[in-house]
Amino acid sequence: VRPGARSSDMDFGQSNLFGYIEDLQELTIIERPVRRSLKTPEEIERLTVDEELNDIERAVYLLSSGHDIQGTSVVANLPVLMRQNPAETLRRVLPKIREVLHVAGVEMQLTAAVSFLTVLQDESVSIHTYSHSFLHIILQNLEHRDAGVSNAWLETLLAVIEALPKETIRHEILNPLVSKAQISQTLQSRLVSCKVMGKLANKFEAHIVKREILPLVKSLCQDVEYEVRTCMCRQLEHVAQGIGTELTKTVVLPELVELARDEGSSVRLAAFETLVNLLDMFDADDRSQTVLPLVKSFCEKSFKADESILVSLSFHLGKLCNGLYGIFTPEQHLRFLEFYKKLSTLGLQQENGHNDNQLQLQTLEQEKKYISVRKNCAYNFPAMIVFVDPKNFHLELYSIFFCLCHDPEVPVRYTMAISFYEVAKLLNSGVYTIHKELVTLLQDESLEVLDALVGHLPEILELMTNGGENSGSESKLLSIPDLIPALTTAEQRAATSLKWRTHEKLLQKYACLPQIISSDQIYYRFLHRMLTIILTNNVLPVQKAAARTLCVYLRYNRKQEQRHEVIQKLIEQLGQGKSYWNRLRFLDTCEFIMELFSKSFFCKYFFLPVLELTHDPVANVRIKLCYLLPKVKSALKIPTDKHLLQQLELCIRKLLCQEKDKDVLTIVKRTVLELDRMDISLDAFQKRFYENDLLDQEKERQEHLLLEMEQLEKEKQQSEGRSTNVNDKIFEKKRRDNKTSSVLTKSMTLSVSGSSSVTSTGKEDKKSKLVRSQSFSTQALHPKYSNIDKCSNKSSATGYMSSVSGMGKSCMLSFSDDTFRTRSTGNSGNGTFPSSSSLTTSRNSFNSTDQKNNGNKESQSRKMSM
C-alpha cells in the first residue's frame, strides 16, 4: 500500500473531526429514550413476583395487581394452565379473567378470544363444562365497542356453535338472539345477529328454521340500515342450504329479487353474488323467468350507472354463463359472449380528442378497477372455453386469448400463465393453436409470469408435443418451432435476476425436456449450460437443481461419446476442481447419479473418483464424503466388485490412521460402525430379493436382443452403402466405354448372383434375428416413458422398457451404441449403461459370426471367378 493512499484513508482533519463529533451526538440522542424507559425502584418492586408461587397462584396475583401486559400474558397462557390443572384454573383463574375483561384493553380482549378458541380445540374439558364456564363470557363481549374485538369474539362463538349440542344452542344462543335482532337494538348487535343466523340455519331441522329463524331473517332483510341488509343478504346462502330447495324457492328467492333492486349498491352486489352461488338450487323455470332477467339488468347497468358491480360480475361470469347455459337462446348466448369479450379488453381502448384533466383523473381512478376486471376475465377463460365449446375456440375466443396473454398489466398475464395448463387440457387436439402464446409467456419481461407458467410446464409441453395434430410427425418440435430459444431465454433471465427460487424451480422443471426434444438438442443447448451453472452459480439450491437435471440429461443421452465427455468433465472440473466448493458439488452430483443410474454405472465411472476425495485437504469435503460412504458401499455387488470393496476399506483405514481433524475423525468412527452393520443387512438383502436377480437376468437377455438389433441395423446400412458405391462405379464405367462396361456388367451380375445364391443360407440366421428383434421391439417398446424419476419393475419387459423407451421415438435407431442395463436394487428399474465385459462378450459373438459369414462369402466368390 502506498504511503499517500494510507494518509488519505486516515485523514483526521478538522472537517472529519467535526463529523465524528456529530456521529457521537447522534448516538447519545439514540440512548436517551432508553435511559428514560428504565424502571424506578418502586416500579421494579411493584412488578416483582414471589418465586415460590405456583402457576395458578402467580396467575391470580398478576390478574389482581399486575399491569395489562402481565394480565395479557396470563390470558395467553390460559390453554397451558387448562392442560396442566383444569379444575383449579376454572375455579380460581377464569373468574379473575372475567372480571378483568370488563375493563381490559383491545390487546387483552383479542388475546382472550384466541385463548378461548384454543381451549375449545384442545378439548381440555368436556363441551358441557366449556359451555357452562366460557360461553357466557363470549356472549358478554360480542357487542364490544371496538369492531375488531367484536369480530374476534364472533369468530370464536361461530366455532363454538359447531361443537355445542342443539339444546344448549337453542337456550343459550337462539332465544337471546330474538331480542338482539330487534330494530331497537344497536347496529353492532343486529350485524352479529345476521352472522349467527347463517350459522344456526345448518344446526336445526327445516321446520325449526322455518318457525323460529326465518321470521328473524325476513325482518333483518328489511332493516333500515343498508349494512344490516347487506350482511343478511350474504347469509341467505347458508340459510338456503339449511332449509332445502322448496323453502328456498318460496322464501329466499323473493327476498333476493327484492334485495337485487335495493337502493344501496352494496346490497345489490350481495344479492347478485348470492344468486350466482345458489344457481344449482333453482330449477329451469326459476332460472329463465327470475334469475336471467336480473342478470341481464345487472349486465346492462354495470356499464351505464352502476360500475360497482362490474368487478364482481367479471369474477362470476364464467360460473354464471355455464349455470344458465341450458336456458340460453342462440341470441342470448352470443350476447353474453360479446359481453365477456368487452370486459376482457375494458380500459385498453383509448379515446382520441379528450384531454380534459377531470377525465384523466377519472381514468386514473378507474384504472385499477379495469385491471381487476381483465384479471377476472383471465381467471374465467377456461370456463368460457367450456361455454363456447373447445371446437369453436379458434373462431370465438382466440383473439381474446391473444389479447389477455399480451395485456400490458402483469396481474392479467400472471393469471393467464396460471390458467394456461387448464386451457391446454380443454383444447386437447387443438392445443397447437396456442403455441405462440406459450412462447410469448416464456419470454415475458416479468419473472412472476414466468414463475406462474413454470409450475405446470412439463404437463403443458407434454400436451403440446403429443396432444396436438402434429403428434404423429417425425419431429417433436414441429408444433413449437421456437420452444428451445424461448426456454434458453427464460433460464438466462431467471439466472440474471435476484429471484433464485424461480431459477431453482425452472431448472427442476427442465428435467422434463428428454420427453420433449431430442438428445442432441439437449446436449448442445442445455446440458453444458447446467454444468456451467454448477461451476459458476453462488446459490446452493440452484446448483443442486442444475446437478440433478444434468444427471437426468445424462441418463437419457443416446450417444456414448457424449456421455463419456460429460462424465470426464464432471470428474475433472468438479471432482478434481481447484475450489473445494466444486468438490462438494461433485459429491452432491454423485448422490443424484446413484439415485438415477444403476449400481454398475456408478461403480464403473464414479466409485474411484469419489474415494480419491478421502485425501482432500479441506475437512468439509472429507466430512461430506464420510456421510456419503454408506451409500457408496450399498452400490457395490460383493462378488463382482470385490476389488472396489478393498479400495473402500483401504481408504477408511487411512482415514482412521492419518486423520488429524477431530470432527472428521469422529464422523469416520461413526461411519465405520454403520458400514459394519451394512455387511449383515447386505447379505439379507440378497437373499430376500432373489427374485429381482432373476428379473435382472431377464432384462440382460432383452438388452442382448437390443444389441443384436442395433448391430444388424448397422450391418444393413453398411451393406446398402457398399451397393450404392458399386452402382456409382458401374455407371461411371458405362459413360466412358460402352463395350467394356457391358462386359463388366455381365461379369458383375454373374458374380453377384452367384455370391447371393451361395450366401443366402448364411444370411438366414441374421434375418431371423432381425425379425425376432423387431417383433420384440414392437411388443415391448413404447414411444413415451412414464416419468423420469419413477421406476417400474412390474414385469421383465415393461420394467426395463419403461426406463429406456423415452430415449427416442424410433425403436430401431434409439439405441446408438449404448444399450442400458439394470440391476436389482431397492428401487430397481432404472436403465443403465452396460459394463465393458458385457459389451465385449456380445461384440465378440458378433465378430465370430461375421468372420464365418465373410469367410464363406470369399470362398464362394473365388470359386465363381475361377
Side-chain angles (χ1 to χ4, degrees):
V1 180
R2 298 190 307 272
R6 196 175 284 177
S7 62
S8 62
D9 292 339
M10 301 178 64
D11 185 11
F12 288 96
Q14 187 175 4
S15 60
N16 288 336
L17 186 59
F18 284 131
Y20 297 144
I21 293 174
E22 291 177 358
D23 293 339
L24 292 175
Q25 289 176 352
E26 289 181 1
L27 290 175
T28 57
I29 292 172
I30 294 173
E31 289 180 354
R32 283 173 191 169
V34 178
R35 291 175 180 174
R36 289 175 182 174
S37 64
L38 294 177
K39 303 298 181 182
T40 62
E42 293 79 9
E43 290 176 335
I44 294 175
E45 181 66 25
R46 189 160 55 89
L47 293 173
T48 303
V49 181
D50 189 3
E51 296 181 357
E52 296 181 359
L53 297 177
N54 58 30
D55 294 338
I56 300 296
E57 293 174 347
R58 185 182 297 110
V60 173
Y61 175 79
L62 292 176
L63 288 171
S64 302
S65 60
H67 285 272
D68 288 342
I69 297 176
Q70 293 175 323
T72 303
S73 67
V74 172
V75 174
N77 199 42
L78 179 64
V80 179
L81 295 176
M82 287 294 299
R83 286 193 291 267
Q84 294 175 353
N85 195 347
E88 287 296 313
T89 304
L90 292 176
R91 188 175 67 87
R92 300 183 61 185
V93 179
L94 193 60
K96 286 292 182 182
I97 293 177
R98 185 172 185 173
E99 294 176 4
V100 173
L101 285 178
H102 287 292
V103 293
V106 173
E107 186 176 357
M108 186 181 292
Q109 289 276 352
L110 295 175
T111 305
V114 175
S115 296
F116 282 26
L117 181 59
T118 305
V119 171
L120 174 69
Q121 295 171 348
D122 290 345
E123 298 181 355
S124 303
V125 293
S126 63
I127 192 62
H128 177 74
T129 305
Y130 185 90
S131 61
H132 179 73
S133 303
F134 291 89
L135 185 57
H136 294 286
I137 304 176
I138 296 173
L139 293 174
Q140 286 176 0
N141 293 278
L142 275 177
E143 300 180 20
H144 196 274
R145 59 183 179 275
D146 187 271
V149 173
S150 178
N151 289 330
W153 285 113
L154 178 61
E155 293 298 325
T156 303
L157 176 63
L158 296 178
V160 170
I161 289 175
E162 288 290 337
L164 291 177
K166 293 181 181 180
E167 291 300 323
T168 304
I169 296 174
R170 189 165 187 174
H171 293 291
E172 301 293 339
I173 299 175
L174 182 57
N175 293 337
L177 195 65
V178 177
S179 60
K180 296 291 184 181
Q182 301 301 321
I183 195 67
S184 59
Q185 296 294 322
T186 62
L187 175 63
Q188 184 68 25
S189 177
R190 302 204 300 277
L191 289 174
V192 170
S193 299
C194 292
K195 295 179 181 179
V196 176
M197 288 291 179
K199 196 71 175 180
L200 295 181
N202 294 316
K203 295 294 294 184
F204 296 100
E205 292 78 7
H207 66 278
I208 298 178
V209 175
K210 181 180 179 181
R211 186 177 67 249
E212 299 186 12
I213 296 179
L214 283 184
L216 296 176
V217 169
K218 288 182 179 181
S219 65
L220 291 171
C221 287
Q222 299 172 2
D223 197 276
V224 294
E225 299 292 340
Y226 74 93
E227 294 97 333
V228 179
R229 298 197 301 273
T230 303
C231 185
M232 193 65 247
C233 185
R234 295 192 180 278
Q235 297 300 320
L236 287 179
E237 179 183 354
H238 305 291
V239 174
Q241 295 173 356
I243 62 178
T245 306
E246 294 298 327
L247 286 176
T248 300
K249 181 178 179 180
T250 58
V251 179
V252 176
L253 186 57
E255 294 293 336
L256 282 175
V257 172
E258 185 176 354
L259 292 170
R261 300 188 179 97
D262 196 273
E263 59 184 6
S265 60
S266 62
V267 181
R268 294 195 299 270
L269 179 61
F272 169 74
E273 293 179 351
T274 305
L275 274 173
V276 175
N277 293 330
L278 291 178
L279 274 178
D280 296 336
M281 300 189 69
F282 301 140
D283 55 18
D285 294 336
D286 293 333
R287 294 180 187 180
S288 60
Q289 297 176 7
T290 306
V291 179
L292 183 58
L294 286 175
V295 172
K296 289 172 63 178
S297 65
F298 282 132
C299 296
E300 293 171 357
K301 292 179 181 178
S302 60
F303 283 104
K304 296 178 181 179
D306 191 5
E307 291 187 350
S308 61
I309 201 173
L310 201 58
V311 177
S312 178
L313 182 60
S314 62
F315 181 77
H316 293 92
L317 191 60
K319 184 177 181 180
L320 192 63
C321 289
N322 287 280
L324 299 175
Y325 181 81
I327 64 172
F328 278 154
T329 62
E331 181 182 359
Q332 293 170 343
H333 187 281
L334 183 61
R335 183 179 300 175
F336 273 86
L337 181 59
E338 293 298 326
F339 181 72
Y340 173 76
K341 292 180 180 179
K342 189 175 182 180
L343 291 178
S344 300
T345 58
L346 186 64
L348 298 179
Q349 297 87 358
Q350 297 180 356
E351 297 181 359
N352 297 325
H354 295 279
N355 294 322
D356 189 13
N357 292 331
Q358 185 177 0
L359 181 61
Q360 291 179 359
L361 291 175
Q362 186 179 3
T363 304
L364 291 175
E365 292 175 0
Q366 292 178 347
E367 185 177 359
K368 291 184 178 180
K369 184 183 294 185
Y370 290 160
I371 293 173
S372 299
V373 170
R374 298 200 304 273
K375 179 182 176 182
N376 291 337
C377 290
Y379 167 77
N380 282 301
F381 196 86
M384 297 307 296
I385 292 179
V386 177
F387 181 64
V388 301
D389 197 308
K391 297 178 181 178
N392 302 323
F393 166 77
H394 193 274
L395 181 64
E396 299 289 349
L397 288 176
Y398 177 74
S399 59
I400 299 300
F401 184 76
F402 178 85
C403 292
L404 292 173
C405 288
H406 292 80
D407 195 275
E409 299 298 331
V410 173
V412 181
R413 303 197 305 274
Y414 175 84
T415 308
M416 287 304 298
I418 290 178
S419 60
F420 197 94
Y421 176 53
E422 296 296 328
V423 173
K425 284 197 301 184
L426 290 171
L427 293 181
N428 198 3
S429 61
V431 70
Y432 68 94
T433 58
I434 60 173
H435 70 276
K436 294 181 180 178
E437 286 68 32
L438 174 62
V439 173
T440 300
L441 293 177
L442 280 172
Q443 297 175 338
D444 195 275
E445 60 183 6
S446 173
L447 281 180
E448 295 178 3
V449 177
L450 179 62
D451 187 82
L453 184 67
V454 165
H456 289 285
L457 185 63
E459 296 85 353
I460 293 172
L461 294 178
E462 179 73 16
L463 290 171
M464 284 287 180
T465 54
N466 298 319
E469 292 184 356
N470 294 327
S471 60
S473 60
E474 294 180 359
S475 177
K476 293 183 178 182
L477 293 178
L478 288 179
S479 58
I480 319 177
D482 301 329
L483 174 65
I484 294 179
L487 291 173
T488 54
T489 303
E491 190 277 323
Q492 291 171 0
R493 288 189 61 257
T496 55
S497 69
L498 297 177
K499 298 182 179 180
W500 63 266
R501 288 181 177 85
T502 300
H503 193 199
E504 178 194 10
K505 184 179 179 181
L506 194 72
L507 295 176
Q508 291 172 350
K509 299 297 182 180
Y510 275 15
C512 73
L513 292 183
Q515 201 172 358
I516 310 300
I517 59 180
S518 65
S519 176
D520 286 338
Q521 289 167 330
I522 290 176
Y523 176 77
Y524 290 110
R525 300 301 294 271
F526 296 98
L527 195 146
H528 291 285
R529 174 61 182 164
M530 297 299 159
L531 184 59
T532 303
I533 293 172
I534 301 172
L535 292 171
T536 60
N537 199 280
N538 296 324
V539 182
L540 179 59
V542 173
Q543 287 181 314
K544 287 189 175 182
R548 193 182 191 284
T549 303
L550 183 142
C551 293
V552 173
Y553 292 164
L554 182 65
R555 166 71 177 79
Y556 293 102
N557 188 282
R558 290 181 287 172
K559 291 186 179 180
Q560 189 173 4
E561 183 180 355
Q562 294 177 356
R563 289 198 306 273
H564 288 171
E565 178 188 352
V566 175
I567 292 170
Q568 185 178 2
K569 287 185 177 180
L570 288 174
I571 295 173
E572 292 179 355
Q573 299 182 17
L574 288 181
Q576 300 171 1
K578 295 181 180 179
S579 172
Y580 84 98
W581 191 257
N582 290 339
R583 300 195 294 274
L584 289 174
R585 299 294 75 76
F586 176 72
L587 294 176
D588 292 332
T589 305
C590 289
E591 286 193 64
F592 296 131
I593 291 289
M594 286 187 283
E595 175 188 350
L596 296 171
F597 290 82
S598 69
K599 295 181 178 181
S600 61
F601 179 87
F602 174 78
C603 292
K604 182 178 179 181
Y605 294 107
F606 293 96
F607 190 90
L608 293 178
V610 167
L611 292 185
E612 289 178 2
L613 294 179
T614 55
H615 309 289
D616 197 276
V618 179
N620 286 343
V621 178
R622 301 196 301 273
I623 289 175
K624 189 173 182 64
L625 174 63
C626 291
Y627 284 119
L628 190 64
L629 285 179
K631 289 185 179 181
V632 172
K633 185 175 181 180
S634 65
L636 295 174
K637 204 169 184 179
I638 299 304
T640 308
D641 303 325
K642 188 175 181 180
H643 62 290
L644 297 179
L645 180 61
Q646 293 174 353
Q647 293 289 334
L648 176 63
E649 293 175 350
L650 179 62
C651 291
I652 294 175
R653 290 195 195 99
K654 288 183 178 179
L655 282 174
L656 287 172
C657 298
Q658 302 176 2
E659 184 59 52
K660 298 180 181 179
D661 191 280
K662 295 181 180 179
D663 297 331
V664 180
L665 188 60
T666 303
I667 297 173
V668 169
K669 293 178 180 178
R670 192 185 309 164
T671 304
V672 169
L673 295 177
E674 186 175 354
L675 292 175
D676 291 338
R677 289 194 297 267
M678 283 184 61
D679 292 336
I680 302 173
S681 63
L682 186 62
D683 294 335
F685 176 83
Q686 289 180 342
K687 294 177 182 178
R688 181 180 179 185
F689 292 94
Y690 178 73
E691 295 181 359
N692 288 342
D693 294 335
L694 297 178
L695 291 175
D696 187 67
Q697 294 178 3
E698 179 65 21
K699 292 174 185 176
E700 288 183 1
R701 187 184 68 82
Q702 295 171 2
E703 291 171 4
H704 287 307
L705 289 177
L706 292 174
L707 281 172
E708 292 177 4
M709 180 179 68
E710 181 183 359
Q711 186 67 24
L712 291 174
E713 283 296 322
K714 289 182 180 179
E715 291 180 359
K716 185 178 179 181
Q717 292 176 358
Q718 292 175 0
S719 62
E720 289 177 355
R722 292 196 195 99
S723 64
T724 53
N725 293 331
V726 170
N727 291 331
D728 291 339
K729 290 179 181 179
I730 293 173
F731 180 77
E732 188 67 21
K733 293 283 185 178
K734 268 187 181 180
R735 192 175 61 82
R736 291 179 180 178
D737 192 0
N738 292 331
K739 293 182 180 180
T740 309
S741 65
S742 62
V743 175
L744 289 173
T745 306
K746 290 180 181 179
S747 63
M748 285 291 293
T749 53
L750 287 173
S751 63
V752 170
S753 62
S755 62
S756 62
S757 62
V758 175
T759 58
S760 61
T761 57
K763 287 186 177 181
E764 289 297 327
D765 295 336
K766 291 186 178 182
K767 288 183 179 180
S768 63
K769 288 182 178 180
L770 180 60
V771 171
R772 182 160 55 97
S773 301
Q774 290 176 348
S775 64
F776 164 74
S777 64
T778 55
Q779 292 177 2
L781 287 176
H782 193 273
K784 285 173 60 180
Y785 63 107
S786 60
N787 194 346
I788 292 174
D789 298 333
K790 294 181 180 179
C791 307
S792 58
N793 53 2
K794 293 181 180 178
S795 63
S796 60
T798 58
Y800 169 74
M801 301 314 297
S802 64
S803 63
V804 299
S805 58
M807 304 291 291
K809 270 190 174 181
S810 174
C811 297
M812 301 293 291
L813 300 178
S814 61
F815 300 90
S816 61
D817 77 355
D818 59 331
T819 55
F820 287 73
R821 180 182 179 187
T822 57
R823 281 188 174 182
S824 60
T825 60
N827 51 356
S828 63
N830 287 332
T832 59
F833 306 105
S835 61
S836 58
S837 61
S838 63
L839 283 173
T840 52
T841 54
S842 60
R843 286 173 183 173
N844 289 335
S845 62
F846 283 127
N847 292 332
S848 61
T849 54
D850 292 341
Q851 288 175 2
K852 291 180 181 179
N853 292 331
N854 292 331
N856 294 332
K857 287 183 181 179
E858 291 177 358
S859 61
Q860 294 295 333
S861 61
R862 287 174 182 174
K863 289 180 182 180
M864 289 299 296
S865 62
M866 290 174 63

